Amino acid sequence: MFISDASTTGDAGFSPAVREGEILRHVSALMALPPDVAWLQSAVSRAVHDLGILHAWAYLDLPDEKPRLFHDEGLSVTLRSAVLQLAHVFDDELGDGKSVAWIKGQALNTLSEVLQNPVQACLLGALALPDGSPCGHLVWVLAQPPVSAPAYEPALQALLHHVRYAVFSKRVFEKKLERLQEAVDQYESLLQSAPVLFNAFEEDGQCVMWNKECERRLGWNQQEVFEHPEPLSLFYPDLDDRKKVIASVSSSPSLTFQEWAPRARNGERVHTIWSNVRLHGGRVLNIGIDITERKKAEIEVVRLSKIDALTECWNRKEIVERLSRALAARRQSDPSFVVMMLDLDYFKSINDSYGHLRGDLALQHFCKHLRSCLRGMDQLGRLGGEEFLILLQGKTEEAAEGVFARLRESLQAHPVMLGDEPVVLTVSAGIAAPRCKEIGVSEILRRADQALYQAKQQGRDRVCVYPS
């Protein structure tokens, strides 16, 4: 049994507090056990025995199997039945994709009623399959707030990761743990074939294991990595990054997953999460999971939040923010640019005559031809409706008028087909240049809008420049 803090002992019915280091030792010991479903019983039993936990249980609901409850010996038959009623409460507490939560408020009161004991703290973790689908809960109930509360949460996080990537990937990780007790030549076959990044380094920095997944994702073969005098420099060319990686495993390898982005041979950043296990003799085994596609998806979500869905231009918020940055840059280094505000002529009539769906088609047609008149450095955004804003970098008012002329010619030469009828689109525009360094976003937009209004007053299908 792990040593409790002698200065903090519990009253009757309370479990003694446990030092933070003992919590980490407990988690490490649990991860050395065979990773099968029965591992959950060891996890809840040892939590009560070694971590100062009052009660612990794991509720497991796997596809095509009956739900199972793994619990400590202190739960009576009645209580074992009652805790199953808490599943919906825990589902609410773990909403919004959280993996770990401290139970508070009414949920804590409900837990106390079910357990027929006052509960001062309860840490809840979501069990999940490797594909991310939820399959139950892991619960630690404390009779009093723990002395080492900050240590409990990462400890439970580590165990949840272990359940997800070891217990529920039994075929791969059971072989891995078995091979770790044998010679390298006995477990190398598994590590080479696993769809997980596995590598190992000696204390002097030399690589002694480099599996096929590492070779596939990072680009260097095993021989190249083994023979390189400083193999980490291949995929962490930046010295500061390399030092951080070395520091993360040199003193105490991390049992929780940390995110790193090694560089592949082709220059790609491979976003990964890694956990480290120190083997006998000082060797460190690194276990990595590629999350590059997830990162790309996250980046795409951010990008889409800045894009107008219909026209694929920047949306109003983004184009105004880019205008603000351009004005700030001009105050620093005086780069020239002009602003052009455009408004599609008689757009309401198009919507009224042909319907909103064909009105959307007209907007897309307009934007297509507008983009063909711009350079890569120019910025195009939709302010709303049929109104657009362009930032023309390095341009003068005269050059902007040339852009408008090309757009006007392109629209005249390429009518948009609205049903069976070709319709020539026209557009009015106003141009304004930030002559004064102190000019703000609102003022430059006002000037461009005033010039646009003048173009419409003069008959549309033309451009006007705000007077200098």
Side-chain angles (χ1 to χ4, degrees):
M1 181 173 182
F2 292 156
I3 301 171
S4 299
D5 188 333
S7 64
T8 313
T9 55
D11 298 329
F14 286 73
S15 298
V18 177
R19 289 198 298 266
E20 185 170 328
E22 300 299 336
I23 296 173
L24 298 178
R25 284 180 53 196
H26 169 66
V27 171
S28 177
L30 273 175
M31 287 185 173
L33 298 177
D36 50 28
V37 173
W39 180 92
L40 287 167
Q41 183 59 59
S42 299
V44 298
S45 297
R46 290 198 178 193
V48 173
H49 185 262
D50 299 329
L51 286 185
I53 303 297
L54 178 63
H55 287 301
W57 68 83
Y59 175 70
L60 184 61
D61 188 4
L62 295 174
D64 304 321
E65 294 185 24
K66 291 182 178 180
R68 279 181 280 181
L69 181 68
F70 302 88
H71 56 85
D72 66 88
E73 296 178 0
L75 283 176
S76 67
V77 175
T78 303
L79 292 181
R80 290 200 299 270
S81 174
V83 295
L84 297 177
Q85 303 171 13
L86 293 166
H88 70 282
V89 176
F90 293 155
D91 286 338
D92 293 341
E93 292 296 315
L94 287 170
D96 302 324
K98 292 188 294 186
S99 60
V100 170
W102 285 97
I103 307 303
K104 299 177 181 178
Q106 182 57 44
L108 198 61
N109 294 335
T110 302
L111 180 60
S112 297
E113 293 172 2
V114 170
L115 296 180
Q116 301 172 14
N117 256 320
V119 174
Q120 298 299 319
C122 176
L123 184 59
L124 170 66
L127 296 175
L129 295 172
D131 64 3
S133 57
C135 61
H137 312 102
L138 183 58
V139 182
W140 287 351
V141 177
L142 292 85
Q144 57 185 347
V147 174
S148 299
Y152 278 89
E153 186 170 336
L156 186 57
Q157 287 275 20
L159 294 182
L160 293 173
H161 277 295
H162 185 69
V163 172
R164 180 170 177 177
Y165 297 111
V167 175
F168 295 147
S169 298
K170 180 182 177 183
R171 182 180 62 85
V172 173
F173 283 92
E174 185 176 44
K175 290 182 180 179
K176 182 218 21 134
L177 292 176
E178 179 184 333
R179 295 298 188 267
L180 288 178
Q181 307 304 314
E182 301 173 358
V184 172
D185 58 342
Q186 291 179 305
Y187 62 73
E188 184 176 2
S189 175
L190 166 67
L191 301 180
Q192 288 294 338
S193 61
V196 177
L197 300 162
F198 283 108
N199 56 59
F201 290 82
E202 299 282 12
E203 287 187 314
D204 62 2
Q206 290 303 298
C207 184
V208 293
M209 181 189 300
W210 186 259
N211 77 339
K212 292 295 183 182
E213 187 71 2
C214 288
E215 182 175 326
R216 185 186 73 82
R217 287 301 289 122
L218 296 174
W220 288 278
N221 63 41
Q222 187 180 82
Q223 184 177 355
E224 290 174 313
V225 177
F226 283 5
E227 295 179 355
H228 198 280
E230 194 177 2
L232 278 177
S233 65
L234 293 173
F235 28 94
Y236 292 106
D238 183 86
L239 180 58
D240 290 337
D241 289 343
R242 200 153 65 246
K243 287 179 179 179
K244 291 176 183 177
V245 171
I246 293 171
S248 72
V249 298
S250 60
S251 56
S252 57
S254 173
L255 295 175
T256 60
F257 282 85
Q258 298 185 57
E259 187 171 336
W260 299 96
R263 190 179 296 277
R265 190 170 199 157
N266 62 5
E268 176 194 5
R269 283 287 188 184
V270 182
H271 294 277
T272 53
I273 54 174
W274 294 88
S275 181
N276 317 109
V277 179
R278 185 174 290 282
L279 306 178
H280 294 296
R283 182 176 297 172
V284 175
L285 173 67
N286 306 297
I287 308 164
I289 299 173
D290 183 6
I291 60 169
T292 304
E293 292 306 314
R294 190 191 80 186
K295 280 289 184 181
K296 289 179 179 178
E298 291 173 354
I299 293 170
E300 181 63 9
V301 168
V302 173
R303 187 189 74 84
L304 290 175
S305 71
K306 302 177 180 181
I307 294 292
D308 175 64
L310 176 65
T311 63
E312 296 188 353
C313 304
W314 297 121
N315 59 27
R316 181 184 182 91
K317 180 176 181 295
E318 181 65 17
I319 193 64
V320 171
E321 186 174 319
R322 287 171 180 258
L323 173 58
S324 177
R325 291 201 296 266
L327 290 171
R330 185 178 184 276
R331 287 191 284 271
Q332 294 293 326
S333 57
D334 201 27
S336 61
F337 73 94
V338 294
V339 171
M340 182 157 58
M341 189 178 291
L342 305 98
D343 191 277
L344 203 56
D345 294 332
Y346 306 108
F347 184 69
K348 184 178 184 303
S349 297
I350 292 176
N351 274 335
D352 292 343
S353 301
Y354 302 98
H356 287 279
L357 290 179
R358 287 175 178 168
D360 290 347
L361 183 64
L363 286 173
Q364 292 170 334
H365 177 87
F366 168 71
C367 289
K368 172 185 174 182
H369 288 278
L370 177 54
R371 285 193 186 91
S372 69
C373 302
L374 301 177
R375 306 160 299 167
M377 69 178 69
D378 298 326
Q379 304 290 327
L380 169 61
R382 184 183 182 190
L383 293 176
E386 67 274 23
E387 193 170 55
F388 295 82
L389 184 71
I390 306 174
L391 309 184
L392 297 164
Q393 300 291 341
K395 292 284 190 180
T396 62
E397 292 99 321
E398 292 77 13
E401 288 180 281
V403 172
F404 179 84
R406 291 195 298 275
L407 171 63
R408 188 170 179 271
E409 292 172 3
S410 182
L411 292 175
Q412 289 176 345
H414 301 90
V416 60
M417 295 300 297
L418 300 180
D420 297 328
E421 183 178 351
V423 176
V424 175
L425 301 178
T426 65
V427 63
S428 302
I431 296 172
R435 297 293 184 188
C436 172
K437 283 191 174 184
E438 288 72 30
I439 193 171
V441 171
S442 297
E443 177 59 21
I444 192 69
L445 290 177
R446 186 193 68 78
R447 294 181 181 184
D449 186 61
Q450 186 172 330
L452 171 60
Y453 179 78
Q454 183 180 356
K456 285 186 173 293
Q457 289 293 101
Q458 292 180 7
R460 293 182 170 84
D461 193 24
R462 67 193 65 220
V463 62
C464 288
V465 179
Y466 186 85
S468 302

